[in-house]
Amino acid sequence: MFAFGVDYYPEHWPETRWPQDARLMAEAGFNVVRLAEFAWSRLEPKEGHFNFGWLDRAIDLLSGHSMKIVLGTPTASPPPWVMSSTPEFFLMREDGRRATYGHRREYCPNHPGYHGHTRRIVQKMAEHYAGHPAVLGWQIDNEFGDRCFCPRCIEAFQGWLKERYNSLDALNECWGTIFWSHEYTAWEQISAPLSSGGQPNPGLALDYYRFCSDSYVAYQQIQADILRRLCPGQFITHNFMGFKYDQLNLYDLAAGLDFVSWDNYPRTQWTMDRSVDPARDALEHDTMRGLKQRPFWVMEQQAGPAGWDIVSPAPRPGQLRLWAYQAVAHGADGIVFFRWRTARTGSEQYWHGLLDQHGRPGRRYDEIRQMGAEIVSVGERLLGTEVAAQVAMLHSFDSRFAFQSQANNPGFRYETHFAEVYRALHALHVPVDVVPPTADLSEYKLVVAPALHVVDEEIAANLRAYVSSGGVLAVTPRSGVKDSVNRVVDMPLPGLLAGVCGVEVEEYDSLPLGDRNAVRFVAAGLPRAESPATEAWADVLRPEGAEVVATYLHDYYAGRPAITLNKYGEGRALYLGAFGKQDLLLPLTRWLLEMAQVPLPFAPAEDVEVVERRRGEQSLLFVLNHSSGGQEVEVAGDFRDLLTGCDVHGVVNLGPYGVAILENAKGEEP
């Protein structure tokens, strides 16, 4: 079943309204409803006293309309009686201040008392709904989770360090605590890297961020163990916050789940100053697919204007459907809209659902009802298809964490640079897998490692083996700078990657904000007339066997190598010594794709995205128009548009924010 559904909060509305909601949901084509992830106070109004009757009635009503249920464990938002019982349950922020009651996700993930409350509510829910024919599975908690710096977490961190390093001598050596005379003589002396303490030891900061991530992984596992024991046959997932969220190692969090889901809001109060960015949203989806290298769900798909205090612009007619189909194109096997009806009270009065507060169907509902009718006819054809990528980007949470305490340059952010590199591939309609640096890379023709800052021997060996076997690798600045404990390596940069790249960084220049340099391409096949701009950083390179691809134009290192290419075994490795935007990255990406023999099957077109999902010989092309005007898109071959049933011969015409799903009319590859 292709999951097509909505998030519903029956506890917010009179029970007399529920039948009308269920009928309208069924008419919209929904087959899945998520319930109860914020309903702890109704499920357990006081400790040890449970009330599942209202939820049973809601499930019975919805399942009577042929809808299946995803239940959320309600631990992200505990009721006041839980949190008021023990003030130490509250998370402590980096500034040393405790969170206070009134929002959500305020708990410390390491407090054993909160773990006890968690086990009780999750076990009671699992016992009650185990084997229920309407319950498909479970979402654990909701959008894990901010770092806690409380005394209990610091104590747990000390225990985590004991397991990791075994001895204080080893820890002192790895962190280099001789600097500033910080050598520890007892585990209890080690604290968290609080912001009030100035610049922390880099080894301490990286390990604390790793520990915080591990804390949520362990907390999730507490719930997963209960659900797996009591509810075999029901899936377990969690709703992630996409590539943009940088507090957790998402690969670790995904490992214990059956599949990944995530919450997709292309336009909210935080994106008021710019239009929706299709490349950014595509990266979010590809990152989620890459966490387990399999299809995912969107557990919260934007359904209207969104914001807590500021209301985002209304999605234009067609955009809700377009954003949902973009998710499907990039690997989603489930779309669940947030939310059904906009809340009249609480913090999300302006986080709009498919229905406004008055509860009457309108334009947004009608648009999704259209999509529901389409999913009935195409959903089963989507299942089992996958995005087949020949290009991978290496996503390193150790590097992200390391840059959080040492950004290197005020104009640099790992996430922004990663997205800029991805944007060049997206513009060329090249499918991308976003994978960890330790992933099996043997099936990829091109691998890109943006700012792979933290590199250990395992990662370096993986990249050497990939290139020597014939792969093409591209490495960007600030790669190979740190080892696994966040020490700067004692060798010329890019450290353990210098050999495979055939180059050494002779020196580097951190550019003042607003300053630019530029490079001139000198390698065959790259545009000679252009001088792409660079920013933030300049590695001055000394080739050690590599060929020069581009040189700097300005400053004291004008004429020195900025980009090099090295032959290593059967493959090649490119080192890009400067950050830049599309005028630099797009021609370089084209050149690398040609070198790696990655085909470009679709001509780039502004505001148009083409994505392919495959199963064996079956190919489905998603053609997405992200503009407010009509588009005429060339596609080679004869197709049938599964959404309209019309034949397409070489050209597909799309209206504003239009979508086509094209299947080869003869069942052949396009």
Side-chain angles (χ1 to χ4, degrees), residues 424-431 600-605 608-611:
L425 293 160
H426 180 266
L428 299 171
H429 306 302
V430 174
L600 300 179
F602 314 111
V608 172
E609 181 178 11
V610 183
V611 187

Side-chain angles (χ1 to χ4, degrees), residues 116-140:
H117 287 293
T118 295
R119 289 188 176 93
R120 186 181 60 254
I121 185 62
V122 173
Q123 177 149 335
K124 286 296 182 181
M125 287 186 73
E127 289 171 347
H128 191 81
Y129 293 106
H132 194 297
V135 176
L136 282 178
W138 299 81
Q139 173 194 295
I140 293 178

Side-chain angles (χ1 to χ4, degrees), residues 466-531:
Y466 166 73
V467 177
S468 66
S469 297
V472 176
L473 171 68
V475 177
T476 77
R478 307 314 289 148
S479 293
V481 175
K482 298 290 193 80
D483 65 13
S484 62
V485 292
N486 216 9
R487 296 177 297 196
V488 176
V489 297
D490 59 352
M491 59 187 77
L493 301 183
L496 293 174
L497 303 181
V500 68
C501 292
V503 70
E504 291 183 357
V505 177
E506 189 171 282
E507 63 173 309
Y508 49 72
D509 187 15
S510 180
L511 305 184
L513 279 175
D515 275 19
R516 301 285 187 272
N517 205 313
V519 301
R520 176 179 289 116
F521 292 125
V522 297
L526 284 164
R528 300 294 184 92
E530 300 177 12
S531 299

